[in-house]
């Protein structure tokens, strides 16, 4: 059985990699919206080196290119803002075993302000039922413009996970209301929460 901080670290980077400095930040819990891992900087760096040696994480540079040289605790200390930590497929498998995700209910949302003051919204989900649920919630609150749906095949909900199919919903709206999508996500649990030690 791994320590709680092990699963917290996996959870910090399950959907996006993070710099070693972000992981070591005393306010990492606020930055990642998860419980704090509870490790001091050097202990954290030692844990990251162990996780890398076990094949759970890999180190990449700012361009997300794999760093092939052996990284030491000293390297992490000296270059913490330039070394990024990502899950490997093995790390992703560990994360899945701990959090038991239902990818059919996963919602990935992206927002971009367009030139004409519209917010361009892209939402990816794992099933037609979930995309319908999100669409219904959106249409109750706003009137989306240029609404379209399509199927993604294959679908990559995270950088390490590939599934046969996903669903894409794209639309424009006049105001940015990411809180609306956050609420829809909270109302549709898709994974187990982190168990506290």
């Amino acid at each position: 059985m791994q320590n709680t901080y092990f699963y917290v670290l996996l959870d910090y980077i399950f959907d996006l990699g993070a710099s070693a400095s972000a992981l070591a930040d005393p306010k990492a819990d606020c930055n990642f919206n998860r419980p704090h891992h509870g490790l001091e900087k050097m202990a954290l760096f030692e844990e990251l080196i162990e996780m890398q040696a076990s094949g759970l994480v890999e180190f990449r540079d700012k361009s997300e290119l794999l760093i092939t040289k052996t990284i030491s605790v000293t390297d992490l200390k000296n270059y913490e803002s330039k070394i990024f930590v990502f899950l490997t497929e093995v790390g992703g498998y560990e994360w899945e075993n701990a959090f038991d995700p239902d990818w059919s209910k996963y919602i990935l949302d992206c927002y971009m302000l367009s030139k004409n003051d519209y917010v361009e919204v892209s939402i990816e989900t794992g099933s037609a039922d979930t995309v319908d649920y999100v669409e219904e919630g959106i249409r109750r609150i706003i009137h989306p413009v240029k609404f379209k749906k399509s199927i993604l095949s294959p679908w990559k909900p995270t950088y390490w996970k590939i599934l046969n199919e996903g669903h894409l919903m794209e639309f424009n709206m006049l105001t940015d209301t990411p809180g609306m999508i956050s609420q829809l996500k909270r109302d549709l649990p898709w994974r187990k929460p982190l168990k506290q030690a």
Side-chain angles (χ1 to χ4, degrees), residues 48-102:
L48 292 175
I49 295 296
E50 285 183 34
M51 291 171 78
Q52 191 265 345
S54 299
L56 298 167
V57 300
E58 59 193 16
F59 300 118
R60 299 184 191 178
D61 64 17
K62 282 188 174 185
S63 302
E64 295 190 12
L65 295 173
L66 184 65
I67 298 172
T68 55
K69 79 173 203 89
T70 302
I71 299 293
S72 67
V73 171
T74 303
D75 292 329
L76 285 173
K77 180 181 174 192
N78 293 338
Y79 304 104
E80 64 184 68
S81 66
K82 296 179 181 178
I83 297 175
F84 290 74
V85 184
F86 288 81
L87 292 180
T88 62
E89 284 186 35
V90 174
Y93 179 79
E94 281 291 326
W95 180 88
E96 285 186 295
N97 281 338
F99 294 97
D100 193 26
D102 179 350

Side-chain angles (χ1 to χ4, degrees), residues 149-154 164-168:
K149 290 194 248 182
S150 57
I151 294 176
L152 301 169
S153 183
N164 291 332
E165 183 178 285
H167 296 262
L168 173 65

Side-chain angles (χ1 to χ4, degrees), residues 123 134-142 144 169 171 180-181:
I123 297 174
V134 173
E135 179 183 359
E136 182 183 316
I138 289 167
R139 290 188 186 274
R140 278 193 313 251
I141 299 167
I142 64 167
M169 176 183 353
F171 58 91
M180 169 185 60
I181 304 299

